[in-house]
Amino acid sequence: MNWLQLSWKNIISRPLSMLLSIVLFALGVGLISILFLLDHQLQQNFEKNLAGVDLVVGAKGSPLQLILCSMYHIDAPTGNIALKDARPFMVKNHPLIEKAIPLSMGDSYKGYRIVGTTKDLLSLYNAKIATGKVWKFNFETTIGAAVAKELNLKIGDQFQSSHGLTNDEMHMHDDVEAFKVVGILEPSGTVLDQLILTTPQTFWLIHEEHDHDHEEHDHDHSAHNHDGHNHEDHDHDHSDHDHGPAAPKSLLDEDQDKQITSLLIRFKGRNFQSLNMQRNINENTDLQAATPAIEINRLFSLMDTGQQALRTLAIVIIFVSGLSIFISLFSSLRERKYELALMRSMGAKPAGIFTLIILEGLILASIGFFIGILLSHGGMQLLANMIKDAYRYSFTGWQFLKEEAYLLIGALFIGVVAAIIPAIQASKTDISETLAKG
Amino acid sequence: MLIARDLTFSYTGEKRLKFPDIECKTGEQWLLIGQSGSGKTTLLHLLAGLRTPKSGSIKINDTVISQLPSSALDNFRGKNIGIIFQQAHFVQSLNVEENLALAQRLAGMKIDRTRIRTMLEHLNVGHKLKSNPNQLSAGEQQRVAIARALVNNPAIVLADEPTSALDDQNTEQVIKLLKEQAALTNATLLIVTHDNRLKSIIEKQIEL
């Protein structure tokens, strides 16, 4: 029977009066902890996906939207840009630009976005192929690890895309040919895990008239007939060559009136000229250029205002719960005054009684803390599942941060502070007077 | 052995209480008789070291407790003095056994469960080991309180009106057990009371 055991028994013998303190404490701690978790994981997710992109060029509109759409794939495109406008950035041996990667967006499959791009995108994120190969022909896709896992897609599987970025069966492109999975990427922890990658040209084929397609189709027919293939062979070749016998041309050689959604640009070096490029684009062209790091910082500072409010609320809750611990300990002293004097009469020192009450405060705060942490991580896990369904980003409730250790220290500190006045009061109780009153 | 000489005490703003000298030899059993308001409880608290006398000295065995610093006094009290109060009070969150264990710990002793069980059995409350104190009858509570006061083999046992809340039958039984147990450990027993029922049971008496 030591002080810790005794204070524990004291608490569990009065569960109701301690409940309010614990619940309040848990709420405050839980709120702060979940804010930490969200903030940390958001930053983690955002930073991981910066991928050394210096500039995103797209249609005029909100720069944040352009970044969110092109880099994080969580917003709609600002519009499309013509190849002839994008072309200057894509020419080989550009003095400032190391890489300019075209993106075409607007279609999805079961909520996962289909992006028409070049294989340069893979090197941007250091992504590797797990099985299969990189897309080469139109309608060939290389899919992210999460897409493969969640949709249970394998090499050789085929699917129809739908127009729009949400899972909308109503707008299925069931009149065009199916996408075919030719490769699956290794998990990279980046947004690539959530994407279905194909050629930019595929988008034109889906969305434009199929005349061209038909022509080619017919052409194939005569060619093969001429070669005198038998019927089975012909059928086989037909499906094989449906989307053109050769890999699509470089975008530089395509019809310059065709459109893409945006360009991800990485500079050769950050110098005065490259920094000026953004302003030049924004002021002198119909295009818009946005810097990911700046926009993300802006987003975080926007969120920070909300977080600040919630954090303040959490601190107020914790303060109130500290007050509640103080009040419940203080009022319990009135009931336990005789009990404490009795312990003194049996040899307990004032320091012992002081310790007992402080421990009660500490235990209450610890219980509150652990329930709070449980709440926040459980809540975070729930939230993670929701975010995953809505945005395809992976969050987890089972990540623990060092901030939470500081939170524990803070919680224990509040427990001590709340208990200190009752503890002093208890240790100063006049034994004789209390016992005489009986 | 308990010796008290020239003890006086005064509460702030009240007249001074003067107490008769007391000398109890080791193992002796005494009754301190006085009417309400005569300062019985005050005297008992002085003897137990719960209060400091205005003047005079209290000596238990070889220790002058009226001169001990408070921390040493707490230690001394836990080890050497067992106190039984008018109404038996317990730490409510602990059961009977744990309350006795707490008494051992507070006195700086090791917890001795065999000793606890034996004490409770001697006082016919062995079956209440795991009970919550407030589930016991008044007589049972007072017997557990006696067990608690004696569990550390104190040199002195001080009892403040231990029978005032008990009926005749319980009074007789409780006092008999208290005497027996004090004698068993050769503890000096001093009962403060105005209960005339005790006068016939304990011969050595001091009037306040």
Side-chain angles (χ1 to χ4, degrees), chain B residues 152-172:
Chain B
N152 295 329
N153 290 325
I156 309 283
V157 177
L158 301 169
D160 184 9
E161 303 269 22
T163 56
S164 65
L166 303 180
D167 59 27
D168 290 351
Q169 199 191 338
N170 265 312
T171 297
E172 199 179 323

Side-chain angles (χ1 to χ4, degrees), chain A residues 194-267:
Chain A
Q194 320 285 347
L195 296 180
I196 297 169
L197 304 174
T198 186
T199 64
Q201 284 86 347
T202 306
F203 274 78
W204 305 337
L205 294 175
I206 298 170
H207 292 269
E208 289 162 12
E209 297 169 296
H210 302 300
D211 292 356
H212 178 69
D213 209 18
H214 287 306
E215 264 172 35
E216 242 180 56
H217 190 95
D218 289 343
H219 177 75
D220 277 357
H221 258 281
S222 53
H224 287 298
N225 281 338
H226 186 73
D227 283 352
H229 280 287
N230 66 29
H231 192 68
E232 277 159 324
D233 263 346
H234 160 83
D235 258 358
H236 175 72
D237 287 353
H238 174 87
S239 65
D240 223 28
H241 292 267
D242 212 359
H243 32 73
K249 294 180 277 190
S250 156
L251 288 182
L252 292 171
D253 304 328
E254 288 281 359
D255 175 356
Q256 295 301 299
D257 285 328
K258 299 269 188 195
Q259 292 184 319
I260 59 170
T261 305
S262 56
L263 280 174
L264 304 181
I265 290 175
R266 184 187 273 178
F267 293 133

Side-chain angles (χ1 to χ4, degrees), chain A residues 1 85 99-100 108 180 240 244-245 260 292 376 378 391:
Chain A
M1 189 60 49
D85 294 327
K99 264 181 196 146
S108 63
K180 188 175 165 200
D240 223 28
I260 59 170
S376 75
Y391 298 111

Side-chain angles (χ1 to χ4, degrees), chain B residues 148-204:
Chain B
R148 183 177 60 194
L150 287 152
V151 75
N152 295 329
N153 290 325
I156 309 283
V157 177
L158 301 169
D160 184 9
E161 303 269 22
T163 56
S164 65
L166 303 180
D167 59 27
D168 290 351
Q169 199 191 338
N170 265 312
T171 297
E172 199 179 323
Q173 198 193 6
V174 163
I175 291 300
K176 183 168 154 275
L177 286 168
L178 178 55
K179 280 172 56 103
E180 272 176 22
Q181 291 306 313
L184 211 62
T185 57
N186 203 26
T188 307
L189 175 65
L190 190 70
I191 303 174
V192 173
T193 191
H194 72 279
D195 191 342
N196 290 320
R197 291 177 292 189
L198 303 186
K199 286 186 181 169
S200 53
I201 307 175
I202 293 174
E203 290 163 24
K204 296 193 176 70

